[in-house]
Amino acid sequence: MSTSLLPSTDTPTHSRAARLLDGAHHAGVPFLVAVASWAVCRSIPAASPLVLALLVGAVVVNLPAGSERRVDAWMPSTKFLLWLGVAGLGLGLGLGEIVSIGVFGIAVVVVTVASTFLLTRWIGTRMGVEPEAVQLVASGFSVCGAAAIAAVEGAVRPRSNQLALALALVTLHGTVLMFALPLAGDAFGFSDRTTAIWAGASLHEVAQVAAAASLIGPAAVAVAMSVKLGRVLMLVPVHRAVSRAVSRAVAPDTDQPSRRGAGVPWFLTLFVVAVLVRSTGMLPDAVLSTTAVLTQWCLGAGMFGMGLGIVLRQLWPLPGRVLVLSCIATVCVTAVPVLMLGLHGDW
């Protein structure tokens, strides 16, 4: 009798250990891609290592020589590294930095994220866009791009083409805004501080904010990054809102909501713990700088894995309603902070 037909004698502990070892084995290539992307982008200020790793994954999966079996083997480890990277973002976010932007700065962050997220969901639903795509676009465009999409993906459970399209759109819009906002701020006669707040409240990726702020002026980087970090903190309530919406959609006619999407995932719990630890001021700068690099590597490996889901033949034809919704989300996330700054007299 073939040994494959015999019942397994592995204990659950042995099985978990085997899965961990297998995952670690398959994490090598994604991690190397992340490190290489990070190294390349260190000399290119406007480049994001996360976007580069995402693009590498998209290229690999669309090559004729791309192995579906190999891609499938990489996916579990890249997802784990992505979640670990999201948790690591908390170590770069101290509550002191958020407080430093003042009550008005915090208000800009909260109102921009909330209005973009809620308006995008409301309009997307009425446009007839698929619910999973609506949640991904609303989350990614309101908070922090691909990292936010990765954070809510487990609750939403979208199809691969929905996830790929959301990632492609948020990357495209963010890249355009990265160059457009500094030029627009200069054309409108905004002060460097005003344009920096605008960039931090509107751009998706942390690297995009840093690049845009460097184009605005040397004093703009600290302001823009503080505002952006405030948006990253909104990951937790946004994830909770998405989870509740998914639960209601799955079980709308019952008193007991579905468990799908319920609860706060472990990586967001670690994210909050990391923020609190960073805020104590006990961690030395050497530790924070090291963990910042490791976080970028984990996120890069995760973005490589998400890029593996961007199969071009699955994206065509492009759904026009999702494209329109992404443009609406972009208008909202850029217009709300400008209107608030104008009402505050900061133009």
Side-chain angles (χ1 to χ4, degrees), residues 52-336:
L52 180 57
L54 180 79
L55 292 176
V56 172
V59 169
V60 168
V61 77
N62 286 284
L63 287 175
S67 169
E68 184 176 344
R69 183 176 179 182
R70 186 179 296 114
V71 167
D72 289 341
W74 284 332
M75 295 305 284
S77 60
T78 60
K79 182 167 291 189
F80 175 77
L81 289 170
L82 181 62
W83 289 339
L84 199 61
V86 172
L89 286 173
L91 289 176
L93 176 59
L95 295 178
E97 285 90 342
I98 306 304
V99 174
S100 69
I101 64 178
V103 175
F104 175 70
I106 295 173
V108 169
V109 168
V110 173
V111 173
T112 300
V113 172
S115 60
T116 303
F117 178 72
L118 294 174
L119 185 64
T120 302
R121 290 207 312 180
W122 185 79
I123 293 177
T125 300
R126 276 145 188 80
M127 289 174 58
V129 178
E130 295 173 310
E132 296 85 357
V134 170
Q135 300 290 355
L136 294 177
V137 172
S139 303
F141 280 73
S142 64
V143 186
C144 53
I149 291 173
V152 303
E153 183 253 343
V156 176
R157 298 180 186 176
R159 299 194 306 275
S160 59
N161 63 324
Q162 293 173 327
L163 180 62
L165 182 61
L167 288 168
L169 290 174
V170 81
T171 300
L172 175 62
H173 283 264
T175 302
V176 172
L177 288 178
M178 179 176 64
F179 296 104
L181 288 190
L183 293 175
D186 186 57
F188 294 152
F190 292 168
S191 67
D192 285 355
R193 184 177 184 278
T194 296
T195 309
I197 294 175
W198 189 19
S202 301
L203 288 170
H204 307 314
E205 304 287 345
V206 173
Q208 292 170 348
V209 174
S214 67
L215 298 175
I216 296 167
V221 176
V223 175
M225 291 300 289
S226 296
V227 174
K228 176 58 186 174
L229 292 176
R231 283 178 67 200
V232 174
L233 192 60
M234 296 292 287
L235 263 176
V236 178
V238 164
H239 182 279
R240 187 59 182 165
V242 169
S243 298
R244 288 174 65 87
V246 170
S247 296
R248 287 196 300 269
V250 172
D253 300 323
T254 62
D255 294 330
Q256 293 294 327
S258 166
R259 293 295 299 169
R260 178 182 172 187
V264 178
W266 63 268
F267 60 90
L268 283 185
T269 301
L270 285 182
F271 171 83
V272 174
V273 171
V275 172
L276 296 176
V277 171
R278 167 64 188 267
S279 301
T280 64
M282 294 189 302
L283 296 179
D285 291 341
V287 172
L288 292 175
S289 60
T290 300
T291 55
V293 172
L294 291 174
T295 295
Q296 288 296 303
W297 290 353
C298 288
L299 286 172
M303 287 298 109
F304 172 76
M306 297 190 87
L308 294 175
I310 304 178
V311 182
L312 294 180
R313 65 179 180 274
Q314 295 178 358
L315 294 178
W316 194 262
L318 296 175
R321 285 178 293 185
V322 179
L323 295 176
V324 172
L325 184 63
S326 70
C327 293
I328 292 172
T330 296
V331 170
C332 186
V333 80
T334 53
V336 169

Side-chain angles (χ1 to χ4, degrees), residues 332-346:
C332 186
V333 80
T334 53
V336 169
V338 169
L339 291 175
M340 292 186 69
L341 286 164
L343 292 173
H344 194 253
D346 284 345

